[in-house]
Amino acid sequence: MIANQNSLMSPDSTAFASSKEVRNMRTISNTLKNNKESDYTEIIYELGKNFIYDDNKDDYWSPAELSILFGTPIYDQCSHSQRLALNHLYWTQLYNQTAASEMNTIFFNRITAGVFNNISDYSELCDELEFECEQEKHHIRTFQRVAYKTNNALLGKNYLTDTKKSNLSQAKLSKANASSQIYIYKTFNLLAQFLQRNNRKYHSNYLARLQGDGQAIASPNSGLGGNLASRNMLQFFTINWGSSPFMACQYYTLRYTANSMLKSQESKVSRFFMHLKNNEKFIPAPTAISRFHFLDEAFHTTISQLLGRDLFRHFNEPTHFERYLSNLIISKLQKNLLGGFSGAMPGRSVSDSLRLMKDIYSLFRSPIFEFTHEDCLYWIEQIFCYEHNGFHNTYKILEGFHADLRRLFGKLDYLSTSNRELLIMRAAISIDAAINLNKDTFNEFYSSISL
């Protein structure tokens, strides 16, 4: 690689084409090549297109431990058909969330690729990010199709959420509220432009097009991005991710978190797939979708890790502002997406909410259980407010997830100790703390749902 006028290496750097950089650029090139050669997107799409629930309803789609309510007192009393339903509904919940996060990926891949596109020798990285976007489009359609058909078969249309709704926030606001939102956005935009004034030549061309009409850019309202921060704050983060090479790389620490979160569960389904295949047993279509998606996502995880952990070192040192902003982002990541614990949803890293309790209530009232109102209240209290194996199951999953994330965040010297070691997340992996919080939430739920 030859240094050029767009090189972002600091003046005291020994050489632009360091051996580490050469290795990193080779990794990008090989990842793009291998991702295209082993692309399972078409297979995933066909499996989703041809999915019929009745053809897959009699088998588990993943290990039993990946089922809604697994390990809870009610799970022990469930019939075989109910356990299958809880296993299938967990799959739809997992991949509805994955679809939302992959919509985020398409949006932010293009924001950050617009930065890298302004730097010579990064064309293959931009190609890889765009290729990922095309893969994600097909993944999303498949997840939504399978989830819709499954939820419809098990719960009926009255219980369905519209999983095909876009997760880019375009909510209609009152004129006064809309004017206020635009004012806040423009203020944040001007602030970002001032703080990133030395990086103007790297401003994302994709972001510039979104800002072209003078309106506030759309922002995710679900998935990892949508739950990270408020709408205005997320817009501010987005502008900065599209304004400098360092911040563009920093975004991929969040994307790696989403990759790792999914991998902690999808790897189990992948092993389940191989067990069925090796024993020549029937493989449900959703199980195969998980397996092939796991293989596709491995390349995405490689890119996330490379950019988030290594590639930023090839560019100028982060400014004091960029260090502050990065720590703020990771702090919010810990608090809002990694700062909780669930005994009802295996591996869930956010606290059990009033919304989840209401969803479980609806599940118990559905054709799967047909519980009375009183039975629903009894079992929901048992599930959320008392210790059981479901909490211990999630504890083990989150322990491994935390260790995986620390391997990346622990190497980022621009982060504070709390963020490098993920101390907020660590403190939240507590069964006692989760149950105490759930008791307060259950009291709120009881007041809201009692007849």
Side-chain angles (χ1 to χ4, degrees):
M1 183 184 301
I2 301 174
N4 57 68
Q5 60 182 0
N6 284 336
S7 169
L8 297 179
M9 294 299 289
S10 54
D12 58 351
S13 179
T14 55
F16 180 78
S18 66
S19 59
K20 181 171 285 190
E21 184 179 4
V22 170
R23 287 199 303 273
N24 289 341
M25 300 307 286
R26 187 180 298 126
T27 298
I28 291 171
S29 181
N30 290 338
T31 301
L32 174 61
K33 176 177 178 291
N34 294 334
N35 195 8
K36 287 185 173 181
E37 288 179 352
S38 69
D39 182 22
Y40 289 99
T41 304
E42 186 174 337
I43 296 175
I44 292 171
Y45 181 78
E46 287 299 317
L47 284 167
K49 180 181 177 181
N50 298 318
F51 173 76
I52 299 173
Y53 181 72
D54 282 350
D55 293 344
N56 297 270
K57 67 179 182 179
D58 296 327
D59 295 270
Y60 283 91
W61 296 352
S62 59
E65 68 197 64
L66 296 182
S67 302
I68 296 175
L69 304 177
F70 178 82
T72 66
I74 187 64
Y75 189 85
D76 294 337
Q77 300 191 23
C78 286
S79 66
H80 178 66
S81 62
Q82 287 171 330
R83 290 188 178 190
L84 285 175
L86 293 174
N87 183 259
H88 300 168
L89 289 174
Y90 184 87
W91 192 99
T92 69
Q93 288 289 319
L94 175 63
Y95 285 100
N96 274 337
Q97 182 67 20
T98 300
S101 292
E102 293 192 345
M103 290 180 195
N104 291 187
T105 295
I106 293 170
F107 182 66
F108 290 118
N109 271 22
R110 287 173 173 163
I111 294 284
T112 54
V115 173
F116 298 123
N117 193 51
N118 292 319
I119 309 169
S120 296
D121 303 313
Y122 282 83
S123 60
E124 284 192 310
L125 174 58
C126 295
D127 290 345
E128 166 63 22
L129 296 178
E130 183 56 33
F131 184 68
E132 291 176 358
C133 291
E134 294 305 312
Q135 290 179 305
E136 305 293 33
K137 289 178 184 178
H138 293 294
H139 295 168
I140 291 165
R141 292 191 192 101
T142 294
F143 300 152
Q144 291 175 335
R145 184 177 287 114
V146 174
Y148 183 85
K149 290 183 177 180
T150 300
N151 289 337
N152 189 29
L154 289 172
L155 301 173
K157 292 184 178 179
N158 290 337
Y159 295 89
L160 290 179
T161 349
D162 185 7
T163 58
K164 296 186 178 181
K165 181 181 177 182
S166 167
N167 81 326
L168 291 183
S169 179
Q170 299 284 5
K172 292 183 178 179
L173 305 170
S174 67
K175 288 185 177 180
N177 201 352
S179 297
S180 174
Q181 291 290 326
I182 290 293
Y183 177 78
I184 294 171
Y185 171 77
K186 288 184 176 180
T187 301
F188 274 154
N189 190 29
L190 288 172
L191 178 61
Q193 287 180 27
F194 173 74
L195 292 168
Q196 297 286 3
R197 61 191 180 279
N198 293 329
N199 288 314
R200 284 174 184 160
K201 63 182 177 180
Y202 304 111
H203 188 78
S204 169
N205 50 7
Y206 182 77
L207 177 60
R209 288 198 298 273
L210 295 179
Q211 296 173 311
D213 59 3
Q215 298 299 307
I217 58 174
S219 59
N221 59 18
S222 61
L224 185 143
N227 292 294
L228 177 67
S230 67
R231 181 174 183 238
N232 290 129
M233 187 61 71
L234 183 57
Q235 286 171 333
F236 183 62
F237 295 162
T238 301
I239 294 167
N240 281 279
W241 286 326
S243 294
S244 82
F246 171 79
M247 289 305 301
C249 289
Q250 192 278 328
Y251 157 72
Y252 287 88
T253 61
L254 272 76
R255 203 184 86 163
Y256 181 84
T257 301
N259 297 145
S260 179
M261 189 182 297
L262 179 60
K263 186 178 72 173
S264 70
Q265 318 241 10
E266 206 168 44
S267 59
K268 294 181 175 67
V269 190
S270 182
R271 289 194 293 271
F272 184 70
F273 170 94
M274 292 306 300
H275 171 77
L276 295 176
K277 181 179 179 181
N278 292 338
N279 287 276
E280 299 182 346
K281 294 183 177 181
F282 173 73
I283 299 175
T287 308
I289 290 169
S290 294
R291 165 65 179 178
F292 297 129
H293 185 257
F294 177 73
L295 296 176
D296 272 355
E297 283 294 308
F299 298 107
H300 301 196
T301 302
T302 297
I303 292 297
S304 294
Q305 180 172 272
L306 180 68
L307 270 64
R309 187 189 66 189
D310 301 317
L311 203 70
F312 75 90
R313 302 179 195 279
H314 302 327
F315 307 133
N316 286 336
E317 287 285 320
T319 63
H320 290 300
F321 163 68
E322 289 177 328
R323 287 177 181 270
Y324 168 79
L325 185 62
S326 297
N327 276 282
L328 175 63
I329 291 169
I330 302 306
S331 177
K332 286 191 173 294
L333 171 71
Q334 289 201 73
K335 291 176 183 176
N336 297 334
L337 290 155
L338 305 174
F341 193 94
S342 177
M345 295 290 289
R348 181 183 170 104
S349 61
V350 294
S351 299
D352 289 328
S353 61
L354 178 64
R355 171 65 184 273
L356 178 61
M357 291 187 185
K358 289 183 176 181
D359 286 346
I360 297 299
Y361 180 90
S362 294
L363 174 63
F364 284 158
R365 297 285 277 177
S366 77
I368 297 173
F369 287 93
E370 296 184 325
F371 281 175
T372 65
H373 171 71
E374 291 73 19
D375 284 344
C376 290
L377 295 180
Y378 171 79
W379 282 115
I380 289 172
E381 184 176 15
Q382 296 301 309
I383 290 163
F384 290 99
C385 301
Y386 296 95
E387 184 173 349
H388 50 67
N389 287 335
F391 284 107
H392 291 279
N393 181 44
T394 292
Y395 186 92
K396 288 191 293 185
I397 293 172
L398 293 186
E399 282 270 276
F401 182 32
H402 179 264
D404 185 32
L405 291 183
R406 276 203 61 189
R407 282 190 283 273
L408 181 135
F409 287 97
K411 297 181 183 296
L412 305 181
D413 53 10
Y414 61 82
L415 293 180
S416 66
T417 300
S418 174
N419 285 330
R420 280 201 311 275
E421 298 183 9
L422 297 167
L423 296 182
I424 297 173
M425 180 185 183
R426 175 66 266 178
I429 304 177
S430 165
I431 294 174
D432 289 341
I435 290 175
N436 288 334
L437 183 61
N438 284 353
K439 288 178 179 179
D440 292 336
T441 306
F442 177 77
N443 289 334
E444 183 182 358
F445 163 77
Y446 185 87
S447 299
S448 70
I449 205 73
S450 293
L451 297 177

